[in-house]
Amino acid sequence: MSTFVLLPGAGSNSWYWQRVVPLLEDRGHDVVAVDLPYADENADQDDYADLVVAGLGDVRRPLVVVGQSMSAFTAVRVAQRCAVDELVLVAPMIPAPGESPAQWWGNVGHEEAQRAEAVADGRDPDAPLDMRELFFHDVPEDLTEEALTQEEIALSDAAFEPSWDAERWPDVPVRVVAGSRDRLFPLPFLTELSRARVGTEPLVVDSGHLVALARPAELAGILLDPAAHPPGSS
């Protein structure tokens, strides 16, 4: 049996994992769904990783760290600080050594890729931000309403700093999960990023950006059966 450490994306919290946690626990695994202090101006990515490691204690092995979106930057830091058996990055901002979350967007050409995908989909690339359209377009309506009525977690500037202090990726197996209908990180964009930065093909789920809310069973299946979904498989 394994321990799964689940890290939420930017501006989110452990609530995000509510549909995945019971699927893992029902199979006898331990699950630690973490709240990261995204709103704290005195806490940055290094502090987030320290918080995660401090909360682990004597966990069962293997230890799998799962990072949603921006928390990929936290996940790689956790793997530097303690023995991690696998990283699973979901709809991730895949970092490069020496890069900060603030630098990532421009470094990877995100704006151009997102705009091109919107045009290809027939959506207005200049439309005002609509959370429902960008993030919740494939999430069940009841969960969407619950999410949008929660207290907003305002991101601090510190959440986007500092640069990842590493010369190379940690020596840990990495799997990348991508949503085929992700409007924030379009599949062609994330596929190329995964190839370039971790040398693997993403596992593709029929989902938007919020995979754990939209397709929890598929995501849990990937986490529970790595032999059926090795790095680079599809």
Side-chain angles (χ1 to χ4, degrees):
M1 295 300 159
S2 303
T3 297
F4 293 94
V5 177
L6 309 180
L7 309 179
S12 184
N13 55 31
S14 56
W15 175 92
Y16 169 73
W17 297 104
Q18 62 174 292
R19 302 187 78 192
V20 173
V21 169
L23 299 176
L24 302 177
E25 291 181 336
D26 286 350
R27 294 286 293 274
H29 299 278
D30 293 335
V31 182
V32 182
V34 179
D35 288 315
L36 298 175
Y38 283 125
D40 187 347
E41 289 288 355
N42 296 311
D44 59 24
Q45 288 288 336
D46 286 331
D47 296 312
Y48 301 170
D50 290 341
L51 180 152
V52 173
V53 172
L56 290 178
D58 186 19
V59 298
R60 285 196 292 182
R61 300 283 175 172
L63 174 62
V64 181
V65 177
V66 185
Q68 163 72 24
S69 198
M70 192 169 80
S71 68
F73 275 89
T74 308
V76 293
R77 286 167 159 88
V78 171
Q80 285 181 303
R81 288 160 167 75
C82 68
V84 170
D85 295 285
E86 185 181 25
L87 290 173
V88 181
L89 308 180
V90 183
M93 293 171 63
I94 304 174
E99 184 177 64
S100 70
Q103 295 167 333
W104 182 89
W105 305 89
N107 288 351
V108 300
H110 171 263
E111 183 177 355
E112 297 86 350
Q114 186 182 23
R115 184 179 185 86
E117 187 75 6
V119 171
D121 287 348
R123 294 179 285 111
D124 181 359
D126 298 312
L129 174 64
D130 184 326
M131 297 289 286
R132 291 177 183 271
E133 289 298 315
L134 184 59
F135 293 110
F136 293 95
H137 55 94
D138 66 333
V139 174
E141 184 62 26
D142 60 332
L143 288 175
T144 298
E145 293 301 324
E146 186 176 350
L148 295 178
T149 55
Q150 290 192 59
E151 183 178 353
E152 182 178 359
I153 300 174
L155 281 172
S156 71
D157 291 339
F160 296 91
E161 300 295 344
S163 298
W164 177 27
D165 184 16
E167 295 183 357
R168 62 181 180 86
W169 271 72
D171 188 19
V172 175
V174 180
R175 288 187 293 160
V176 174
V177 179
S180 62
R181 294 183 285 133
D182 192 336
R183 294 176 179 176
L184 182 64
F185 301 153
L187 181 59
F189 161 79
L190 195 52
T191 297
E192 289 303 316
L193 190 65
S194 182
R195 291 170 179 167
R197 294 201 162 182
V198 291
T200 190
E201 296 290 316
L203 301 162
V204 181
V205 177
D206 181 23
S207 170
H209 190 66
L210 304 180
V211 183
L213 292 178
R215 294 289 185 270
E218 288 87 339
L219 181 54
I222 289 171
L223 298 177
L224 289 168
D225 193 0
H229 305 278
S233 68
S234 61

